[in-house]
Amino acid sequence: MAQRLRARQALGRSEGLNRLFDYLAERAAEGARPKEFEVAAAVFGRTSAFDGSQDASVRVAVHRLRRKLDDFYAGPGRDEPVRLTIPKGEYRMVAEPRPELEIAAVAVARPWRTYAIAALAVLALLNLAAWALFWTTHGTERTVARAQGAAPWRQILQSEPPTLLVLGDYYIFGEIDEPAGVDRLIRQYSINSAADLDDWLMDNPKAMGRYRDLDLYYLPVGAAFALRSIVPVIARDSAHGQNLHVVMASDLTPEMLKRNNIIYLGYLSGLGVLRDPVFAGSRFSVGETYDELQDNVSHRHFVSQGGGPSQGDVNRRDYGYVAAFKGPAGNRIVVIAGARDTGLQEAADAMANPDALKALAKGAAGADNFEALYEAEGIGRSSLGGKLIVAAPRSAVDPWTSQRNLSFPQG
């Protein structure tokens, strides 16, 4: 039964959701009733300091898995005689007969039917345990191999240049106001380096002594989840893994852009020197902020809800953007970005999922240079699923020839 559920892709492409399913299946086969902190540690890598009252990740994930199972048995699995369910308020999976199917079939029922359903319930638990073990050891490798064989990863893994994994980071500086007892960190979107801070202080001499370069940068939380999805795909074999290097977007130079394949992970606002080339060949443009994208073909506006104040467990909409195109020297550029964390996670999950990559290639008509937009629903920083909104070839315009701010070394 679990195998059929997997084959029908009832759980979608989320690795976290599949890990949760496997864990609950194993514990169900053992007859255990896991606690919330046990799920947090085993599935999400939380420490003993986990506090369920402050961290809703387990509840969100279980709610999402319960909904996926409900959708499956209301649709493709409507004829399944035994149903997998997670009782409300608990963190255990149970297999139970579906009485509505028994009632529908009562006119043709035979004495053996009751025993068959009971036997199926027992077999379901055994099947869950066996399939969970198999999927843990084999499923991930097969998924990664299929993703590696699809665009854009096939082109990168089979090419000669080394690969740079570029993380979208942000510069922060210190504010020190001794008379007021203030000591804090500042993020200012117009100040993205120590040089920018020096220039600003030259124009604002009264602020000198109050604002200081601390040589500090930060990464969005969503980048960590995106790395978890993407790194196994781009560094699966040891030979290519030795060709993989990591650099911050703030340190990316035109020479690096020319001599390496580039994979960017981060917010749209953190693209740095990649920003102009990305949007030069795109059907999208940035709106009033990087939380808004405008589709210049359909004239639709996509505004992320991820940047506003917290509203508890209210669902929020976010957007993820991906693009693949040629670099200035025939190398490959892949951008995996989000307006905020949820969109970034959705884009990364899609780019690591072979079925999502297949759908993307179909929408882009098989073009090597393409782009796509994903819509994601989430609570806080946790994604509850998403969908592909746009997939299309990129413009034939060379995004590198008109970049006045970039000069590429010769040779």
Side-chain angles (χ1 to χ4, degrees):
M1 179 173 58
Q3 183 175 1
R4 289 197 301 274
L5 188 146
R6 288 283 199 175
R8 297 186 184 188
Q9 300 178 350
L11 302 181
R13 59 177 176 265
S14 169
E15 289 188 13
L17 206 60
N18 283 298
R19 286 200 308 272
L20 177 61
F21 177 86
D22 293 342
Y23 174 76
L24 295 182
E26 291 174 359
R27 299 308 303 273
E30 297 168 358
R33 293 171 175 260
K35 304 294 185 182
E36 183 179 8
F37 73 88
E38 293 177 311
V39 179
V43 179
F44 301 103
R46 299 295 194 269
T47 67
S48 58
F50 172 78
D51 182 356
S53 64
Q54 302 296 321
D55 187 340
S57 56
V58 174
R59 296 192 298 277
V60 169
V62 170
H63 168 77
R64 184 181 172 191
L65 178 56
R66 186 182 291 116
R67 192 174 68 177
K68 287 285 187 180
L69 292 173
D70 288 343
D71 291 344
F72 173 71
Y73 290 112
R78 66 174 63 88
D79 295 326
E80 293 286 336
V82 177
R83 175 193 179 108
L84 299 179
T85 187
I86 304 172
K88 291 291 181 65
E90 298 186 54
Y91 301 98
R92 65 188 179 97
M93 185 180 294
V94 298
E96 56 186 26
R98 302 178 70 185
E100 66 270 23
L101 296 183
E102 292 186 58
I103 294 173
V106 67
V108 294
R110 296 292 185 269
W112 49 264
R113 184 173 179 81
T114 301
Y115 300 103
I117 292 175
L120 280 171
V122 175
L123 287 173
L125 289 175
L126 296 175
N127 191 20
L128 274 172
W131 185 251
L133 179 61
F134 173 82
W135 194 263
T136 299
T137 56
H138 296 80
T140 300
E141 290 186 7
R142 289 198 320 231
T143 298
V144 167
R146 289 177 59 206
Q148 289 174 329
W153 307 125
R154 181 179 64 252
Q155 293 91 330
I156 286 182
L157 292 170
Q158 294 177 356
S159 64
E160 290 298 326
T163 298
L164 274 186
L165 183 57
V166 180
L167 302 179
D169 62 333
Y170 295 90
Y171 175 74
I172 53 179
F173 55 95
E175 178 186 16
I176 300 173
D177 188 351
E178 294 179 355
V182 174
D183 187 358
R184 60 189 172 191
L185 299 176
I186 303 293
R187 165 62 185 155
Q188 174 63 39
Y189 284 99
S190 61
I191 300 177
N192 296 301
S193 67
D196 287 348
L197 179 61
D198 288 341
D199 291 343
W200 185 84
L201 289 174
M202 290 295 292
D203 295 334
N204 298 272
K206 292 183 179 180
M208 288 187 178
R210 181 175 181 180
Y211 298 105
R212 302 180 186 177
D213 171 40
L214 302 176
D215 194 26
L216 289 179
Y217 294 79
Y218 76 89
L219 292 174
V221 172
F225 295 96
L227 282 169
R228 184 184 63 188
S229 297
I230 297 302
V231 168
V233 178
I234 61 177
R236 189 63 177 177
D237 62 274
S238 58
H240 190 76
Q242 295 172 356
N243 235 10
L244 177 65
H245 306 278
V246 178
V247 66
M248 299 298 108
S250 58
D251 294 324
L252 188 64
T253 66
E255 182 175 0
M256 294 177 184
L257 279 174
K258 180 179 180 181
R259 302 189 184 280
N260 301 272
N261 293 319
I262 301 293
I263 301 170
Y264 172 83
L265 290 178
Y267 286 174
L268 286 165
S269 57
L271 283 165
V273 297
L274 281 168
R275 182 180 303 126
D276 290 341
V278 166
F279 288 107
S282 175
R283 64 187 282 163
F284 297 98
S285 59
V286 178
E288 294 183 2
T289 71
Y290 281 92
D291 288 331
E292 177 183 356
L293 287 180
Q294 176 177 325
D295 185 340
N296 298 312
V297 175
S298 68
H299 304 294
R300 295 176 63 189
H301 289 260
F302 303 93
V303 183
S304 169
Q305 299 172 342
S310 175
Q311 299 179 8
D313 288 342
V314 175
N315 282 25
R316 289 186 165 193
R317 184 179 301 108
D318 197 12
Y319 293 94
Y321 172 83
V322 301
F325 54 99
K326 284 185 179 181
N331 51 320
R332 298 298 299 175
I333 310 291
V334 175
V335 171
I336 303 172
R340 297 287 173 159
D341 288 325
T342 306
L344 174 55
Q345 292 177 51
E346 179 63 26
D349 285 348
M351 294 297 280
N353 181 273
D355 295 317
L357 290 170
K358 183 177 180 180
L360 175 54
K362 181 179 180 181
D368 286 339
N369 299 338
F370 61 83
E371 62 184 340
L373 186 71
Y374 292 88
E375 182 181 273
E377 293 285 342
I379 297 178
R381 292 188 176 93
S382 300
S383 175
L384 298 179
K387 59 183 178 180
L388 178 64
I389 300 294
V390 175
R394 281 173 59 89
S395 167
V397 172
D398 186 344
W400 306 103
T401 56
S402 59
Q403 303 309 312
R404 292 175 294 178
N405 297 327
L406 296 178
S407 59
F408 300 102
Q410 301 298 314

